[in-house]
Amino acid sequence: MDKVIGVQEAVSKISDGDVVMVGGFLAVGGPNKIIDYIVENTDLKELTLICNDTAFIDKGVGKMVEKKQFKKIIASHIGTNRETGRQMNEGETEVQLVPQGTLAERVRAAGYGLGGILTKTGIGIKEIEEGKQKITVQGEEYLLEEPLKADVAIINARYADKFGNLKFEGSTVNFNNIMAFAADTVIVEADEVVEIGELDPNDVVTPGILVDFIVDGGAL
């Protein structure tokens, strides 16, 4: 089964108002060519972003922030993109800051069908506790953090075979793998696309059953 499609068709799977997960860590291991296409060729708007960070103004998902394509951003870090902070402070974009470990586990919870996670992170901090349920386990108090699920996940991999089995290099796996479990539609930007059977099964981190569409990043 060949899941490779053009970038225009892939981006057409995203609609205004969608919740979109984007892999990467400060744009490292991010689907940066798909992001560039979205910025340069679409007027997508009112999106909700779930991402570790908002990268930089001129790189990665930060370009979409600059174009004001998000109504809400859920991330663990925005300090490298002053435009995100400006939009937050001016009330132009809702920004929800989530501790990095909590963010990762909330995404994982959605992908694995869990009702949420229990964490001590944020206990005693009014801004974090607000609106959240506290649960006591064996005499210890925890916050219940609910799952984070997306309509579309846009992720990156070093290699993908045409079925969608993915291989990463080093730290570029970052959030890409867990996000593949937590979205209704998963679009992969692969640096290189290979034939089915060319990847060593021992190197496959994300199984192709999770992937819906592949964009050949090497051809862009």
Side-chain angles (χ1 to χ4, degrees), residues 14-20 38 42-48 64 67-72:
I14 308 168
S15 301
D16 290 345
D18 275 355
V19 177
V20 179
I38 290 172
T42 80
D43 291 315
L44 281 169
K45 60 185 184 296
E46 297 293 304
L47 302 171
T48 294
M64 293 180 68
K67 195 176 176 181
K68 297 185 179 180
Q69 292 183 285
F70 301 116
K71 66 177 180 181
K72 181 176 181 179

Side-chain angles (χ1 to χ4, degrees), residues 112 155 168 173-181 205-207 210:
Y112 289 12
I155 64 175
F168 303 90
V173 66
N174 50 65
F175 278 74
N176 288 302
N177 182 52
I178 59 173
M179 287 181 172
F181 285 82
V205 176
T206 304
L210 299 173

